[in-house]
Amino acid sequence: MLKIRDLNVHYGGIHALRGVDIDVEEGQIVSIIGSNGAGKSTLLNAISAVVKTSGGTIEFKGKPIPKSVNKIVGLGISQVPEGRLVFANLSVKDNLLMGAYLRRDKALIKRDLENVYRLFPRLYERIDQMAGTLSGGEQQMLAMGRGLMSDPDIILLDEPSLGLAPLLVKTIFEIIEDIKKMNKTILLVEQNAFKALSIADVGYVLEQGKIIKKGDAKELIADPVIQEAYLGKRKS
Amino acid sequence: MTTFLQQLINGISIGSVYALMAVGYSLVYSIMNFSNFAHGGVIMIGAYLGFFALAIWQLPFPIAFFIAAVGSGILAIVLERIAYNPLRKRNAPFLYFIISAMGASIFLENIVIATIGPNFKTYPQVFQKTPYEIGALAIGRLDVVMFIISAVSLLILLIIIEKTKVGMAIKATAYNFKASSLMGVNTDYIIFIVFGLGGALAGIAGILFGMKYTVYPQIGVITIKAFIAAVFGGLGSLSGAVIGAISLGIIETMTAGYISSQLRDLIAFALLIFILVVRPMGIMGKMNEDKA
């Protein structure tokens, strides 16, 4: 579904992504793990055309992606950005409706709005509240709900667990699995490597802009090198 | 009591025109996060467009009004394309935008001096001078017209912002460009709309001011009042701009009525400094939303 080949991104003088190859198949959860500054967000921003690429190709359903950010979501690629970026000055409902900005099919928008409320009952309770008044966890739910409102084929999640309490992190990962059951493909980037790999089908390890390892997520969890570097386990 | 009511009505009338300027200015600020000092130039061109339409081409008022509003809206859009868009594409620092805006303002002023001349121009009389008399109060017809036109214009803007999809996209973009464009919003189009709306309001303010006073190349300096009003209300907040503008109008006419008209501007500017010191976020503004 999503095919990335030899992707390079330069930020000023920094070579943020160095020849990255990634494949995401329909219906999968693909997790990209890596430490802070490894280039995870840059990768998602390159797919969303937020940052310019300096080499390589990104193909979605066999076609190269367009160069303007606002044309990406219409193809069926939705990004839930790092730091949530919910519209603090809009109500919860208006935030969700912004997610459906390009859609004209009123009946289906209504259906998806109800689906989002079912997935996140907490949002339904706060429907008229300004998004800026929500807690961090609620804002993450809103950002994910908003991301679903474009009825995407693939949803790109950028550090959804960042800054959340452990219990909320658990909830968020359960919701990601629920989203998969809604026939969505998911590309997840996370610092929380264990959680990210345990729900994933395929995992990639990104380090200093390069993919240093890829494979079946279960195998990556069992890999001693990964365990030591990312899962906080010592060699025994 | 009569003097008070009289000055109150005058203050609301003049304040409503300040509100047109302040809201247009605040609207651009909310999206672009910089003070568009060229706003005064657009108001000035609006005033001249109205003057030409009424005095030279002898057109009826509604058509002159339309020309001033649409002409100024187009001018604001063209200015954005020429003076700001190239900076935006290169992610230039905000100071560059402000300098570019000042340059545009000086350019507009001087092009008018060079082509039309530096002289004051007086509008023909459009509305009868005889005031409406209610008891001891005398309310100028033009003041009533100014208030009604301003109120209706602001109401239309309010409906666009609060009740339409493009209005929601304007608010979303004002909050965060990246998130908004991820939703599929063409932010260039939103900026186009915002400058068009702000420019149209400036043109309306221009023709109303021209009718009330006169037209001259430096009339755009009046925007400093709109700036005070916008800061008073809270930069970027549209309702704040309206409240700030009406308050400023009332403060000015009260000062003129009870103290001295010469102290009018002194008090208005003293007020600006006072507010910046005591409550820099204005009445309705939120400090944490200020990104500039």
Side-chain angles (χ1 to χ4, degrees):
Chain A
M1 179 180 245
L2 186 69
K3 191 169 132 191
I4 300 174
R5 287 293 173 272
D6 193 29
L7 181 66
N8 282 274
V9 174
H10 286 81
Y11 271 135
I14 302 160
H15 199 169
L17 289 180
R18 306 156 182 252
V20 168
D21 296 338
I22 285 172
D23 289 279
V24 182
E25 302 300 335
E26 198 168 339
Q28 283 183 329
I29 295 182
V30 174
S31 288
I32 296 172
I33 61 168
S35 58
N36 211 357
K40 303 189 300 297
S41 292
T42 305
L43 173 66
L44 294 194
N45 282 334
I47 299 169
S48 294
V50 176
V51 297
K52 282 198 183 78
T53 60
S54 48
T57 54
I58 304 172
E59 283 183 9
F60 181 65
K61 293 181 183 167
K63 285 185 194 144
I65 58 150
K67 298 266 180 239
S68 349
V69 196
N70 58 307
K71 299 215 172 94
I72 300 290
V73 69
L75 300 177
I77 305 176
S78 178
Q79 189 195 134
V80 180
E82 185 181 359
R84 293 119 202 179
L85 303 185
V86 295
F87 303 114
N89 56 340
L90 297 181
S91 69
V92 167
K93 190 178 179 190
D94 283 352
N95 265 274
L96 294 173
L97 290 177
M98 275 308 295
Y101 181 73
L102 291 180
R103 296 173 65 186
R104 299 279 177 271
D105 44 348
K106 279 197 172 149
L108 291 177
I109 292 173
K110 193 163 176 278
R111 178 205 66 189
D112 287 343
L113 201 56
E114 279 160 11
N115 282 339
V116 168
Y117 290 143
R118 206 166 304 134
L119 198 59
F120 306 102
R122 202 106 67 95
L123 295 182
Y124 186 68
E125 290 163 23
R126 305 206 180 330
I127 187 162
D128 291 320
Q129 215 168 303
M130 288 287 144
T133 65
L134 300 180
S135 71
E138 290 164 348
Q139 289 194 4
Q140 184 59 48
M141 292 174 188
L142 180 56
M144 289 166 75
R146 186 181 65 177
L148 285 170
M149 283 303 293
S150 63
D151 192 18
D153 298 316
I154 183 166
I155 186 158
L156 317 175
L157 299 173
D158 195 347
E159 304 265 13
S161 77
L162 196 75
L164 300 183
L167 201 63
L168 267 170
V169 172
K170 190 168 167 280
T171 312
I172 293 292
F173 278 96
E174 282 166 7
I175 290 166
I176 295 172
E177 293 190 283
D178 288 341
I179 293 173
K180 184 192 179 180
K181 286 182 201 133
M182 294 162 74
N183 292 321
K184 307 286 179 198
T185 306
I186 294 161
L187 179 59
L188 168 69
V189 310
E190 260 289 341
Q191 281 193 64
N192 191 333
F194 180 74
K195 284 272 187 199
L197 290 176
S198 57
I199 61 164
D201 300 291
V202 178
Y204 288 81
V205 182
L206 190 64
E207 207 170 80
Q208 292 179 333
K210 276 187 184 153
I211 298 290
I212 57 152
K213 203 148 194 120
K214 66 167 276 192
D216 184 87
K218 304 286 167 291
E219 285 168 22
L220 285 180
I221 291 183
D223 186 319
V225 181
I226 306 285
Q227 285 191 347
E228 194 189 1
Y230 296 99
L231 304 176
K233 286 182 189 166
R234 283 166 191 237
K235 275 185 212 169
S236 48
Chain B
M1 191 61 193
T2 312
T3 318
F4 178 80
L5 280 178
Q6 186 75 57
Q7 295 302 343
L8 187 68
I9 289 163
N10 292 343
I12 291 171
S13 166
I14 198 76
S16 66
V17 184
Y18 288 157
L20 287 180
M21 301 177 189
V23 165
Y25 173 86
S26 225
L27 189 63
V28 169
Y29 183 90
S30 71
I31 288 277
M32 306 288 285
N33 272 320
F34 80 93
S35 285
N36 179 19
F37 287 116
H39 200 62
V42 179
I43 291 170
M44 186 256 308
I45 297 293
Y48 273 99
L49 283 174
F51 170 76
F52 275 94
L54 289 169
I56 313 288
W57 307 323
Q58 311 245 320
L59 297 167
F61 177 72
I63 296 174
F65 177 83
F66 181 78
I67 290 174
V70 173
S72 300
I74 293 170
L75 174 69
I77 290 165
V78 170
L79 272 181
E80 194 280 322
R81 285 280 131 179
I82 297 172
Y84 309 141
N85 190 291
L87 294 174
R88 206 152 46 77
K89 295 285 173 242
R90 275 181 287 135
N91 287 322
F94 286 108
L95 183 64
Y96 288 50
F97 284 84
I98 294 174
I99 290 167
S100 191
M102 286 172 169
S105 175
I106 295 166
F107 173 81
L108 288 176
E109 193 179 310
N110 282 284
I111 206 154
V112 168
I113 293 173
T115 53
I116 303 168
N119 306 334
F120 284 68
K121 304 269 182 197
T122 313
Y123 269 59
Q125 190 188 319
V126 182
F127 298 98
Q128 285 180 329
K129 283 258 189 285
T130 45
Y132 297 111
E133 289 182 24
I134 303 163
L137 295 175
I139 304 167
R141 284 169 196 262
L142 184 56
D143 288 328
V144 174
V145 169
M146 277 164 61
F147 177 74
I148 292 171
I149 289 177
S150 303
V152 170
S153 308
L154 290 172
L155 197 66
I156 291 170
L157 181 80
L158 185 77
I159 291 168
I160 294 173
I161 300 278
E162 294 299 332
K163 300 286 173 204
T164 68
K165 199 167 177 176
V166 72
M168 190 159 81
I170 288 173
K171 288 199 281 184
T173 308
Y175 187 74
N176 192 292
F177 263 74
K178 180 189 170 185
S180 182
S181 53
L182 284 176
M183 302 302 124
V185 176
N186 181 347
T187 48
D188 280 344
Y189 170 71
I190 295 299
I191 288 170
F192 170 90
I193 297 284
V194 162
F195 273 87
L197 289 172
L201 292 180
I204 295 168
I207 190 172
L208 294 180
F209 250 77
M211 283 198 295
K212 173 99 177 161
Y213 304 110
T214 53
V215 198
Y216 51 97
Q218 291 80 21
I219 196 174
V221 174
I222 198 82
T223 350
I224 203 86
K225 300 273 176 73
F227 180 69
I228 296 176
V231 172
F232 186 37
L235 264 181
S237 156
L238 301 188
S239 52
V242 173
I243 295 169
I246 303 280
S247 311
L248 183 68
I250 294 171
I251 290 166
E252 279 192 4
T253 51
M254 289 296 171
T255 310
Y258 284 102
I259 309 169
S260 152
S261 61
Q262 282 180 330
L263 291 180
R264 198 181 60 187
D265 286 357
L266 181 75
I267 295 200
F269 282 90
L271 183 78
L272 171 70
I273 294 167
F274 178 75
I275 291 160
L276 285 175
V277 171
V278 176
R279 194 176 156 79
M281 68 293 269
I283 305 170
M284 306 290 281
K286 289 188 189 98
M287 211 56 177
N288 55 5
E289 281 183 13
D290 188 350
K291 288 176 277 181

